[in-house]
Amino acid sequence: MIERGIPLNEMIYAGKMPILALRGLTVFPDQTVHFDVGRSKSVLALEAAMKQDQTLLLIPQKDLMVDDPRLADLYSVGTVARVKQVLKNQGENLRVLVTGISRGKITEVSQTEPYMAGMVESLPTPETGDPVRAHAMRREANALYGLYVQLCEQPAQAVQLRMMTSESSGFVADAIAQNSGIDFADKAKLLCQLNPNKRLEMTLRLLRQEVEMLRLESDIQEKTKAALDQNQKDYYLREQMKVIREELGEGDEEAEFDDYAKKIQGLHLEKDSESKLLKDVERLKKQPFGSAEGAVLRNYLDVVLELPWGKRTKERIDVAAARKILEHDHFGMEKVKERILQTIAVRQLAPAMPPQILCLVGPPGVGKTSISYSIARSLNRKMARISLGGVHDESDIRGHRKTYIGAMPGRIMTALTQAGSSNPVLLLDEIDKMGADYRGDPSAALLEVLDAEQNHAYRDHYLEIPYDLSDVLFITTANTLDTIPRPLLDRMEIIELGSYTDEEKVMIAKNHLIPKALAKHGLKKSSLRITDDAIREIISCYTRESGVRNLERAFGEICRKAAMDVITREEPKKITVTGRNLEAYLGVRKFLPDRLPCRDQVGLVTGLAWTSVGGETLEVEVNVMDGSGKLELTGNLGDVMKESAHAALSYIRANAKTLGVAPDFYKNKDIHVHFPEGAVPKDGPSAGVTVCTAIVSALTGATVRRDVAMTGEISLRGRVMRIGGLKEKTMAALRHGIRTVIIPRDNERDLEEIDQTVRRQLNFVSAETVETVLNTALNRRSEVPPTILGELPGDVKPKTIQPELRQ
């Protein structure tokens, strides 16, 4: 029975009552709880309690899976509770509202069927310890529970007010345990703990764990929510884009990824390269549609797959067929043709040998680029051209890192893609005109490309995987070797292309340029004829050059005017261009024919010079005047040419008596040396003998033969030293009407490189000392006969100049 006049949570109860086992639920004293009842024994126990005084023992069971618990399956302490309300739910379940009265334990089980009942005894609450400590714990418990409610995002509960005003540690602990998410097992332990202070300490520890758990859950939920929101947004947009792409007929992305993977596997690359590309495909799959990184990866994979991995053209290894093609496309160029045919012959005997790197050096317009195309055609290889003129960034050769905006592969990889073959002929045009700045030196980047020992695993910065360039035939072109770095020059085989002779230009014009111009302008051979004398007149008076570029332009101008005549005439008539009517088509002659002076003169000597566009004659004039021994040099001269003039003067002063010059001329005579065409810069040592001959002529009064030209560097001892550009210089001499050319003895072997037409029309005098030059050029009796190199080809034997050879 219940003792009257005692507070509810302090009532002492003893007697027989129904026992209801709770599964996963704990009810604490002085707490109102509602729960569902569904098991038949529980329903019967509840009905029995309602028939009596509405009290029963609510005790939690240990194992939630046990459907019919016995005494051993229950905890030792439960709660004596009073039933406030019973509602019937759908089915046989009941909704029960109860209020806990006190803790209780079973002293004896009187029955187990049809429901469990027995003797129950209320458990007294022991006396508390230090009241100050208890108060502090209650304050901490209230604050911690307020934080807990805030983290749970629940509205303030009425029990919080009771907790804040309560002075019972047991009540605060029970209220927190009943209204928090503490685990069921821990709640059962709290129910079994009778000491209020210890129970509150346990509750604080468990509540702190719950608060930390809620904080972690809150962080996780926020991050998850943000990720879910973004993912949902991405998913929604992706689905929209998918529908749009399907409407546009752009296909499915998955099919695109599978296509990338199949193409990469079909290339049969090295394991590392294939693995890297497949990883990039996997990365692309994870990118949202339209993302910047996805666009970079797509572009990168497209560039890689466009490269001609393993694609090769079948090379033609036939010397006779290659010779036929080269001869058909170009006239002359025997050295280049022979070198290419040698390469083909070696490839036929040793196919595994890597091709050599050729560098074609020569003046503009001699056919360096066009011969490269003929080489590709003769070898049956694809052709790609890279213009290096003005390139000053290393990235142009090696490419940019693909992380940069607008990155692209280098010119080498781009050319291979354009060629569509891994063994093309790659023409590096104008390699001598590359520059360098703060962005790097492109010539240094070419060192790996043009090295047969390294280019089998060439790495472009954009590709990041090795590519084999060992099968590529590299051909470079240049106008001069002076600006090419030495390490780069060392990797190439130099083949020099000299200037064309006039006869070679005539043959090129007749066989190549005129038919090409006629076809280009829609004319037939029957409608326009250009005679040989007109061709020679154009070469000598309109296009004085080393190559044939301006000559081709001149034929184009003739064809345009001829086409106008054909269209405007009522009766078509064949047009013939001759030397007489040439001015009607090309205008006034730009260059007058070279004419020798009408007589031999004192102090006027013809020298020979080399320029980037071929050879030129160079006149040297000397005047001697009374004065104080000054030497005046004019004509826009460089330092090297000035030094040569001083060296010549020093030689004359040292050998004045032998040369027949007054010994004190340097005291009372001023010498003025002038090179005409003062607007043209001039430099180089090869005019040394020319200046020396002109000064000696002016000082002695001896005339200089007008049909003699000379070239050579002079030393202080009077030696005639070796020079360069002999082929171009001799052709300039022939155009000028010269008949005798004086050359250094060391240049005799270079005569084999000179065209046979030029050799037959010129007499070559080999000079080792200045005495030989003076005896040949000056109109005076020579004590030491000079040496003439005859006109016979091959091994030329010297012979003595006879007096009748002089004119």
Side-chain angles (χ1 to χ4, degrees), residues 421-626:
S421 169
S422 60
N423 65 333
V425 173
L426 211 57
L427 175 63
L428 306 180
D429 213 0
E430 309 293 354
I431 197 172
D432 59 323
K433 296 177 179 60
M434 288 190 298
D437 60 11
Y438 65 94
R439 288 172 288 187
D441 187 357
S443 62
L446 282 176
L447 294 177
E448 181 184 359
V449 176
L450 300 181
D451 193 338
E453 299 297 327
Q454 303 180 44
N455 62 11
H456 64 279
Y458 172 71
R459 285 181 179 268
D460 186 275
H461 287 165
Y462 184 81
L463 296 183
E464 299 178 343
I465 55 177
Y467 192 94
D468 188 3
L469 298 178
S470 60
D471 288 336
V472 178
L473 175 59
F474 288 99
I475 299 177
T476 65
T477 67
N479 296 127
T480 178
L481 301 178
D482 297 338
T483 57
I484 303 178
R486 184 67 189 177
L488 186 59
L489 196 63
D490 186 58
R491 285 164 165 77
M492 302 182 290
E493 181 178 346
I494 309 301
I495 300 178
E496 295 185 0
L497 281 72
S499 303
Y500 290 121
T501 63
D502 289 352
E503 290 302 318
E504 286 177 334
K505 291 181 181 180
V506 170
M507 297 303 297
I508 292 171
K510 293 171 65 175
N511 297 333
H512 299 280
L513 300 183
I514 294 177
K516 180 181 177 181
L518 292 175
K520 183 178 180 180
H521 294 85
L523 297 173
K524 299 179 180 179
K525 292 182 179 179
S526 58
S527 59
L528 176 63
R529 175 175 172 266
I530 304 176
T531 61
D532 289 354
D533 63 325
I535 297 174
R536 288 187 169 87
E537 190 78 7
I538 295 171
I539 293 172
S540 60
C541 298
Y542 289 92
T543 60
R544 192 170 288 182
E545 58 177 342
S546 299
V548 292
R549 194 165 287 161
N550 290 327
L551 183 60
E552 184 177 6
R553 294 193 186 101
F555 289 135
E557 186 175 353
I558 292 173
C559 288
R560 289 192 297 272
K561 292 186 177 181
M564 189 67 180
D565 291 342
V566 170
I567 295 299
T568 56
R569 288 181 182 179
E570 296 181 0
E571 296 181 3
K573 185 179 179 182
K574 184 174 183 178
I575 301 173
T576 302
V577 180
T578 65
R580 294 183 177 181
N581 64 354
L582 189 59
E583 289 190 359
Y585 292 92
L586 296 179
V588 180
R589 287 166 172 77
K590 299 177 181 178
F591 308 100
L592 295 177
D594 290 325
R595 292 194 180 102
L596 293 174
C598 58
R599 59 186 176 82
D600 297 342
Q601 300 182 37
V602 175
L604 178 62
V605 185
T606 302
L608 298 174
W610 178 92
T611 67
S612 61
V613 295
E616 295 287 343
T617 56
L618 185 69
E619 290 187 344
V620 179
E621 299 175 341
V622 175
N623 276 347
V624 177
M625 302 152 287
D626 292 335

Side-chain angles (χ1 to χ4, degrees), residues 758-779:
V758 179
R759 291 191 60 183
R760 283 193 296 268
Q761 298 185 45
L762 293 177
N763 293 327
F764 292 91
V765 176
S766 173
E768 191 171 6
T769 62
V770 176
E771 287 85 350
T772 305
V773 176
L774 297 176
N775 290 334
T776 303
L778 299 180
N779 287 317

Side-chain angles (χ1 to χ4, degrees), residues 77 118 183 318 405 417 433 781 789:
V77 178
D183 290 342
D318 189 341
I405 297 175
T417 302
K433 296 177 179 60
R781 196 79 179 173
L789 298 183

Side-chain angles (χ1 to χ4, degrees), residues 626-792:
D626 292 335
S628 58
K630 294 180 181 179
L631 176 62
E632 185 75 19
L633 302 174
T634 58
N636 199 354
L637 309 183
D639 293 337
V640 177
M641 186 171 280
K642 291 178 181 179
E643 292 171 357
S644 296
H646 284 287
L649 184 62
S650 296
Y651 168 76
I652 294 171
R653 287 181 59 183
N655 299 275
K657 185 176 181 181
T658 304
L659 298 175
V661 177
D664 58 347
F665 76 93
Y666 62 91
K667 296 180 180 179
N668 52 26
K669 297 292 182 183
D670 286 345
I671 301 174
H672 186 175
V673 181
H674 178 66
F675 291 77
E677 299 184 15
V680 180
K682 308 170 189 71
D683 204 359
S686 62
V689 295
T690 309
V691 175
C692 181
T693 303
I695 295 176
V696 171
S697 172
L699 290 173
T700 60
T703 58
V704 182
R705 292 174 56 187
R706 63 185 182 278
D707 65 336
V708 173
M710 61 190 68
T711 181
E713 182 180 355
I714 189 173
S715 71
L716 291 177
R717 299 291 184 269
R719 291 185 295 113
V720 181
M721 302 172 65
R722 177 181 174 84
I723 49 85
L726 185 61
K727 180 181 178 181
E728 288 78 10
K729 292 178 179 179
T730 55
M731 284 191 287
L734 182 61
R735 285 198 306 266
H736 196 72
I738 300 297
R739 293 293 175 264
T740 301
V741 178
I742 303 174
I743 64 173
R745 175 68 61 85
D746 292 340
N747 284 102
E748 286 183 11
R749 58 181 179 271
D750 295 333
L751 293 176
E752 298 298 326
E753 306 294 332
I754 297 176
D755 187 83
Q756 295 300 319
T757 304
V758 179
R759 291 191 60 183
R760 283 193 296 268
Q761 298 185 45
L762 293 177
N763 293 327
F764 292 91
V765 176
S766 173
E768 191 171 6
T769 62
V770 176
E771 287 85 350
T772 305
V773 176
L774 297 176
N775 290 334
T776 303
L778 299 180
N779 287 317
R780 69 181 186 180
R781 196 79 179 173
S782 178
E783 299 178 359
V784 182
T787 299
I788 280 191
L789 298 183
E791 305 166 6
L792 298 176

